[in-house]
Amino acid sequence: MSTTRKLWLGLAALLISSFAVLLWVGDVVHQEAPPLPAAVVTSEGQTLYTRADLQEGRQVWQSIGGQQLGSIWGHGALLAPDWSADWLHREALAMLELLARDEGAASFASLDAAQQAALKARIQPELRHNTYDAATDTITVSPLRAQAMAIVGAHYMSLFSNDPATAKLRENYAMRDNTIAEMEHRRMVTAFFWWTSWAAAAERPGSTISYTQNWPFDPVVGNVATPTSFMWSIFSVLFMIMGIGLLAWHHARHVSDEPLPPIPARDPLADLKPTPSMKATAKYFWTVLALFLAQILLGATTAHYQVEGQEAYGFALANYLPYSLTRTWHTELAVLWIATAWLATGLYIAPMISGYEPKFQRFGVNFLWVCLLVIVVGSFAGQWLAVMDKLGLEHNFWFGHQGWEYTDIGRFWQIFLFIGLMLWVFLVGRALWPVMRSKTATSSIVGLLFLSTVAIGLLYGAGLMWGEHTHIAMVEYWRWWVVHLWVEGFFEVFATAVISYLFLKLGLIRPLTATVGVLFATIVFMAGGVLGTLHHLYFTGTTTAVIALGASFSVLEVVPLALIGLEAYDTWKKQHVAPWMARYRWPIMFFVAVSFWNLVGAGMFGFLVNTPLALYYMQGLNLTATHGHTALFGVYGMLGLGLMLFCLRGIKPAAQWREGWLRGSFWCLNIGLSLMALLTLLPLGILQLKAVLEHGYWFARSAEFMDRPLIHMLVWMRVPGDTLFAVGAVLIAVFVASLWLLKDRRRPIEPLLQKRPVLVAVERKELEEA
């Protein structure tokens, strides 16, 4: 059996077994999710909340931005508190205050340490004891707890209104006045917040661990890290060491310094004639840059809200473009422009690979582009109407704001996008079909490229697996299929196959080497990538099995990054193997940057927040944002820009490449991203972690902590990095525009270099000076 066939069988077995386990976990999550009761009642028989209150409260929360305004169970925006942690701590303090007054004290703070400890010991069993009765489908609370719930509920109803008493807090949270206009809707939101906090403290039946694995950390409540989190964190590190050792052994034993194939005397793609559909992808890349620039502008606005709250240099911006909306669009645009770059790459290289232009292919490419524009404009308009309370709850799920970070667009637009992705799969597949039918040396790598295309199209469909009232634990389960498997998983397989095929097409690697390399890389990545999805679900109402599997397999995602330096060096060397490779210098440099940020952003910062014990204290802090920014743009964004530049080289083969602009863009983007992480996100995250360890998770996300001068200074420290980053984005946009708008008045260099390669260095210098 050939090596290629063995790798294909190994990949198939790995994917089948991994997805089988992932689906089994989904069934466990469904069966063991925290109960949503028919009613919450007091021991005296008074009904506080009904299931309808809890469900409609979640709808209201989603319509105002959901996870884009604060967070639930740690997932969401970094400005404004985690509502679950905040409610839980406020409720505990309210109970302590009521008990202290019953004891005749002026306040809880006036008691000595021993008396305070005694009262804490009284409330912890009440908060942690699970009083859900399956027979009556109710949760029962004591009159004391009901009174505390009323106090906290009143605080939130004031916060989401325009009450002057909470105006300062709204400013700190970047919330506009009357975030929720109707009083009844405010009451329902308090019901939903209470239920999420109840699940965070109430112990599972037959267990001493809460539904959220004792998250968030709050010593007052008795929420502390579980032994399970500690144990599997230790094991995960051992698994990582073992995985790195095995990979290093394999590399030493099987990866030899195979000589390069005979390097072509001239660029094999120099005579490539772009087909009509390949030329039509140019508009996708213009769209990529427009969305990229818009994302940067919205990111700067979102960051500025951290220092001025509801305003931007005195202008009441929150009245027209609230924080929850700018952050929604900022995160969505990040995925949209990167995905658009990759979709365009697939549409461009498919006819290039096969040399075949199917009938009406150009029409399909143009039609898909129009659909993408309609989806962006339509979904963003719906979200603005929802957040500004102009859409109504009855239409919000379908056309407004779903409230789930990265999957915020309304269900109608989700379906539309899924259909668009299926059209993309069809267009790429029909162009690749002649090659896939052939039995050539490249058919295997092309087949993997197409299968990754199919996976990208299908996996977005996971975002359609929940309904408007699906349990939040199941929504989180399916949502991370989209965010992790779609964005972080099969897009990477697609990119690996594309880059390898491009080098193969340029004659820099042998077909068998490329095929074996891509298949092996896919197996290594997917070994941890599929079940690694579960590390996002440690504290979302799931069971201990999720922690065990997530910790064990997600850490394996770090394993291939251990040898990333070798990959980066190998990629960098390719630009020097032939004089004509100077044409591809900057696409290659962006690919090298991908390797660097894979090591730093995905590897180092990713592992920092990967293990259960680390994430228990760090989830939802700026340390996770450090990983998010450096991995999402550093890896996937840089890759999208590199692929774009390669495609543009073919679309505009005769255009002059003003390399100074590309050089400036490359270094501005990389240095700007580094400064953004090192001057603001990382130190702010470390300060928050210290606050968590000293006081509890609620404190690190509180207005009391975030409104400190030091925090404001760190936020302002983003300006140098953000400015440099924005300059880099503008430079690459100007470069792309110049390919169409500016004419080259110099003599063409490449034809002369290809005729007389012996005098390459001298002639290039003379011609460039001319």
Side-chain angles (χ1 to χ4, degrees):
M1 185 183 297
S2 67
T3 302
T4 302
R5 183 174 177 80
K6 290 178 181 177
L7 289 172
W8 270 112
L9 291 175
L11 178 60
L14 173 67
L15 292 177
I16 291 171
S17 58
S18 296
F19 276 99
V21 174
L22 191 60
L23 290 170
W24 170 76
V25 169
D27 181 64
V28 172
V29 172
H30 174 68
Q31 299 294 334
E32 301 294 334
L36 195 71
V40 179
V41 300
T42 68
S43 55
E44 297 173 343
Q46 178 188 2
T47 299
L48 303 178
Y49 302 127
T50 64
R51 179 178 290 138
D53 292 334
L54 301 176
Q55 290 178 331
E56 193 162 345
R58 193 182 93 176
Q59 288 178 276
V60 175
W61 167 73
Q62 290 175 251
S63 72
I64 63 173
Q67 290 177 329
Q68 302 291 1
L69 181 62
S71 57
I72 291 292
W73 291 347
H75 289 304
L78 304 179
L79 193 58
D82 180 272
W83 304 112
S84 311
D86 190 65
W87 180 294
L88 183 60
H89 189 73
R90 287 180 182 275
E91 184 178 336
L93 293 184
M95 293 175 69
L96 290 172
E97 199 68 34
L98 291 170
L99 287 175
R101 291 176 183 175
D102 285 344
E103 297 287 336
S107 67
F108 176 72
S110 66
L111 299 176
D112 60 35
Q115 291 172 315
Q116 289 183 351
L119 293 185
K120 288 178 184 178
R122 287 177 60 183
I123 68 163
Q124 286 181 5
E126 185 164 350
L127 290 169
R128 298 191 59 81
H129 179 57
N130 191 340
T131 57
Y132 173 72
D133 185 352
T136 60
D137 198 15
T138 59
I139 295 174
T140 303
V141 299
S142 68
L144 171 68
R145 188 170 186 181
Q147 193 175 353
M149 290 163 60
I151 293 171
V152 182
H155 163 76
Y156 280 110
M157 291 183 70
S158 170
L159 178 64
F160 284 94
S161 70
N162 60 354
D163 186 354
T166 48
K168 178 59 177 176
L169 205 53
R170 278 194 297 277
E171 181 182 341
N172 289 331
Y173 294 163
M175 294 170 55
R176 68 187 183 94
D177 290 344
N178 274 330
T179 301
I180 302 174
E182 297 183 27
M183 182 176 293
E184 182 61 14
H185 283 174
R186 294 177 205 141
R187 187 189 69 83
M188 292 173 174
V189 162
T190 67
F192 173 65
F193 287 170
W194 175 83
W195 177 81
T196 64
S197 72
W198 172 84
E203 297 170 347
R204 286 184 179 276
S207 173
T208 58
I209 299 172
S210 78
Y211 287 102
T212 59
Q213 299 290 318
N214 286 358
W215 189 93
F217 173 58
D218 192 336
V220 174
V221 176
N223 269 14
V224 294
T226 65
T228 299
S229 296
F230 180 83
M231 178 179 71
W232 285 106
S233 295
I234 296 298
F235 286 164
S236 69
V237 175
L238 296 178
F239 294 150
M240 182 185 68
I241 294 172
M242 179 186 70
I244 291 174
L246 289 174
L247 183 62
W249 173 81
H250 176 274
H251 188 272
R253 189 174 188 275
H254 296 283
V255 179
S256 60
D257 293 327
E258 183 183 57
L260 292 174
I263 304 300
R266 60 192 303 269
D267 184 356
L269 299 180
D271 298 325
L272 175 69
K273 301 297 183 185
T275 66
S277 70
M278 292 168 68
K279 292 180 179 178
T281 61
K283 63 177 69 67
Y284 283 78
F285 297 118
W286 304 337
T287 305
V288 163
L289 294 170
L291 297 179
F292 184 26
L293 292 173
Q295 189 226 348
I296 292 172
L297 179 61
L298 287 164
T301 305
T302 302
H304 188 79
Y305 269 126
Q306 288 186 261
V307 291
E308 273 203 89
Q310 300 167 320
E311 299 180 342
Y313 301 105
F315 177 70
L317 186 63
N319 292 337
Y320 308 96
L321 205 62
Y323 168 85
S324 62
L325 200 59
T326 63
R327 191 178 189 275
T328 297
W329 292 349
H330 174 66
T331 54
E332 283 187 357
L333 284 172
V335 176
L336 283 171
W337 77 257
I338 292 171
T340 302
W342 293 14
L343 298 183
T345 299
L347 294 171
Y348 175 86
I349 68 167
M352 183 190 80
I353 291 172
S354 64
Y356 169 64
E357 174 87 345
K359 193 174 182 179
F360 302 120
Q361 183 78 353
R362 180 183 179 186
F363 172 80
V365 171
N366 289 333
F367 179 74
L368 179 59
W369 178 74
V370 172
C371 290
L372 288 174
L373 291 187
V374 171
I375 290 169
V376 171
V377 174
S379 62
F380 280 27
Q383 288 172 336
W384 185 86
L385 291 171
V387 171
M388 299 303 290
D389 206 9
K390 298 178 182 293
L391 193 62
L393 293 184
E394 64 273 16
H395 305 300
N396 180 68
F397 176 76
W398 282 94
F399 301 101
H401 200 307
Q402 285 202 48
W404 307 112
E405 190 180 27
Y406 295 108
T407 54
D408 301 284
I409 64 176
R411 176 54 52 87
F412 172 81
W413 304 110
Q414 278 186 309
I415 294 172
F416 196 167
L417 181 55
F418 181 68
I419 294 172
L421 288 170
M422 290 296 99
L423 174 59
W424 175 68
V425 171
F426 172 73
L427 292 172
V428 173
R430 71 199 293 253
L432 290 176
W433 185 243
V435 180
M436 290 189 290
R437 289 182 59 187
S438 66
K439 297 296 182 181
T440 64
T442 62
S443 59
S444 190
I445 191 172
V446 173
L448 184 60
L449 174 63
F450 178 66
L451 287 179
S452 66
T453 302
V454 173
I456 289 169
L458 291 177
L459 278 172
Y460 185 76
L464 306 176
M465 297 301 291
W466 67 78
E468 190 169 7
H469 299 297
T470 300
H471 196 287
I472 184 174
M474 287 306 299
V475 174
E476 284 292 278
Y477 169 78
W478 288 115
R479 184 173 76 90
W480 286 107
W481 275 55
V482 178
V483 180
H484 184 89
L485 286 176
W486 185 61
V487 177
E488 299 180 34
F490 284 94
F491 262 126
E492 182 144 342
V493 176
F494 172 79
T496 302
V498 167
I499 293 174
S500 294
Y501 190 86
L502 295 181
F503 287 147
L504 174 64
K505 195 74 172 177
L506 291 171
L508 304 183
I509 52 176
R510 302 176 189 278
L512 180 60
T513 303
T515 301
V516 170
V518 171
L519 282 170
F520 181 75
T522 302
I523 289 173
V524 171
F525 182 77
M526 286 299 163
V530 177
L531 292 179
T533 306
L534 300 178
H535 87 266
H536 299 285
L537 305 177
Y538 290 153
F539 315 117
T540 56
T542 51
T543 61
T544 301
V546 169
I547 284 188
L549 289 168
S552 302
F553 286 91
S554 67
V555 76
L556 296 181
E557 295 178 87
V558 182
V559 169
L561 305 180
L563 300 178
I564 203 71
L566 299 175
E567 177 189 329
Y569 178 66
D570 184 62
T571 303
W572 181 80
K573 283 195 307 182
K574 286 180 171 56
Q575 64 180 306
H576 301 292
V577 298
W580 51 264
M581 275 300 294
R583 289 168 51 87
Y584 304 102
R585 179 189 177 192
W586 288 108
I588 287 177
M589 288 299 291
F590 275 92
F591 296 157
V592 172
V594 169
S595 297
F596 172 79
W597 289 110
N598 238 330
L599 177 63
V600 175
M604 185 172 71
F605 291 143
F607 182 70
L608 176 66
V609 297
N610 192 294
T611 61
L613 191 61
L615 199 59
Y616 178 79
Y617 297 106
M618 299 181 193
Q619 180 164 280
L621 306 184
N622 276 273
L623 290 172
T624 59
T626 305
H627 163 59
H629 281 73
T630 53
L632 184 58
F633 177 79
V635 178
Y636 303 105
M638 288 289 185
L639 191 51
L641 294 177
L643 293 173
M644 177 186 73
L645 292 175
F646 181 89
C647 296
L648 290 177
R649 176 57 88 181
I651 293 173
K652 300 290 290 184
Q656 176 192 348
W657 276 44
R658 290 161 174 81
E659 301 216 350
W661 293 353
L662 279 180
R663 183 180 299 106
S665 173
F666 177 83
W667 290 111
C668 283
L669 289 171
N670 280 281
I671 295 173
L673 182 59
S674 301
L675 293 177
M676 188 190 308
L678 296 177
L679 296 183
T680 298
L681 298 177
L682 185 60
L684 182 51
I686 292 172
L687 288 175
Q688 284 185 300
L689 176 59
K690 183 173 181 290
V692 171
L693 296 173
E694 289 179 348
H695 302 284
Y697 184 84
W698 65 273
F699 182 70
R701 295 284 301 275
S702 67
E704 179 184 351
F705 177 82
M706 296 300 292
D707 198 34
R708 294 178 174 183
L710 176 60
I711 303 301
H712 285 253
M713 185 197 73
L714 287 174
V715 174
W716 279 110
M717 288 293 287
R718 281 192 61 159
V719 172
D722 285 8
T723 302
L724 208 56
F725 189 87
V727 169
V730 171
L731 283 174
I732 198 169
V734 170
F735 165 80
V736 173
S738 74
L739 298 180
W740 276 267
L741 300 179
L742 299 181
K743 293 183 179 180
D744 187 3
R745 298 181 179 179
R746 305 185 307 170
R747 288 181 294 159
I749 295 175
E750 295 302 331
L752 295 176
L753 295 180
Q754 290 165 1
K755 289 178 182 178
R756 298 194 296 169
V758 177
L759 301 178
V760 167
V762 176
E763 284 206 349
R764 177 174 291 280
K765 182 177 180 181
E766 292 177 351
L767 289 169
E768 288 181 345
E769 288 177 352

